[in-house]
Amino acid sequence: MKKLLLPLLCTFPLFASVHVTVAYPYIGELLKAVAHAKVEVSVLASASSDPHFVTPRPSYIGELRDCDLLILNGGGLEIGWIPPLLNQAHNPKIIQGSVGYLDLSTYVKMIDKPTSLSRAQGDVHAEGNPHYAMDPYNMAILAKVIMLKLSSMDPANKNAYHANYDEFVKHWNVKLAQWDKTMSPCRNTQVIQYHELFSYFLNRYGIHTAGTIEPLPGISPSSKHTIEIINQIRTDKISTIIQDDYHEPKTAQFIASKSGARAIILAHDVGGENNTLDKLFDSMVEQTCKP
Ligand SMILES: [Zn+2]
């Protein structure tokens, strides 16, 4: 009964044999693509959360206590909020190193790994840039990792997981070709980002990040740095400022008003209007590379 009273965090397929908790909505979408209704999925963060510092709800500990598999973005992205919840959940099935602990970052190539660890480098991302999920090409890799994990934990449904994965990849390849085409005119252009949240997306399509509104990762904008960015945009004729949807946009808007660049706000996860992976990347592509 307790479970039935939980909010819309969960779906309850009949006879689900694996109960999975995932950190972020995009992982939940990959899981649904691979498993359809064969697993019970709980998603912790929402699309509007700052992914570095998700505010835990009381239900999170129960979700972690009851699940068989925890899937994380990893790469240090959850370091500010998941470890204390895991300590409180006391679920040996999902502790680091166990079968039920899946860190997706170990299957992708992370960029911007710092050569020295010092607070002078900023407050977050000691392991490199963890926002690799913003590269749509990584989605098929992650879907395969999830498919293999589910197949090993629930071999009775292995064939279904494989078939669903094949169907996902077939569809995803069509979308990748569309996005490649739409983004191609923007190769070799430059943008300013608030935080290096979209670096993998931009790198994929040959767009250079010329600077960030935050002076260092996790550090709020300063007047001095803001003026430097305005001057840089004017000198280098940079046309676009990319702002995430969880930081205050007023600095980006101020820089836009002083420099003539356009400021766009991009979603970084599935939710709201962008309630599928397709829509999330469609919106990133359409907004970033206007014809
Ligand atoms: Zn970050």
Side-chain angles (χ1 to χ4, degrees), residues 52 77 124-125 129-131 195-197 246:
H52 313 84
L77 187 55
V124 288
H125 305 337
N129 186 326
H131 305 293
H195 174 70
E196 291 201 331
L197 182 58
Y246 58 90

Side-chain angles (χ1 to χ4, degrees), residues 97-129:
S98 63
V99 169
Y101 180 95
L102 180 58
D103 174 344
L104 295 175
S105 71
T106 58
Y107 298 90
V108 296
K109 193 170 181 297
M110 294 216 334
I111 59 171
D112 301 334
K113 292 195 178 181
T115 47
S116 66
L117 285 183
S118 145
R119 284 185 62 83
Q121 307 286 326
D123 262 0
V124 288
H125 305 337
E127 297 174 45
N129 186 326

Side-chain angles (χ1 to χ4, degrees), residues 145-215:
V145 171
I146 291 169
M147 179 271 286
L148 292 172
K149 174 59 82 175
L150 291 179
S151 299
S152 73
M153 291 182 78
D154 178 26
N157 286 310
K158 187 178 168 184
N159 289 344
Y161 298 141
H162 274 259
N164 296 342
Y165 164 76
D166 287 344
E167 189 189 338
F168 171 77
V169 169
K170 197 173 159 192
H171 168 76
W172 201 247
N173 285 340
V174 172
K175 295 301 294 184
L176 289 173
Q178 287 173 8
W179 295 326
D180 285 357
K181 194 173 170 200
T182 309
M183 291 300 290
S184 65
C186 291
R187 283 200 93 78
N188 301 319
T189 57
Q190 298 191 86
V191 298
I192 299 291
Q193 300 188 67
Y194 183 99
H195 174 70
E196 291 201 331
L197 182 58
F198 298 98
S199 296
Y200 289 82
F201 172 73
L202 298 166
N203 288 358
R204 169 61 61 190
Y205 297 110
I207 299 173
H208 176 63
T209 299
T212 55
I213 293 176
E214 57 178 17

Side-chain angles (χ1 to χ4, degrees), residues 23-25 43-51 54 57 60 268-271:
Y24 299 105
V43 178
L44 298 181
S46 72
S48 57
S49 310
D50 175 343
V54 175
R57 292 184 188 174
Y60 286 7
H268 63 280
D269 211 328
V270 175

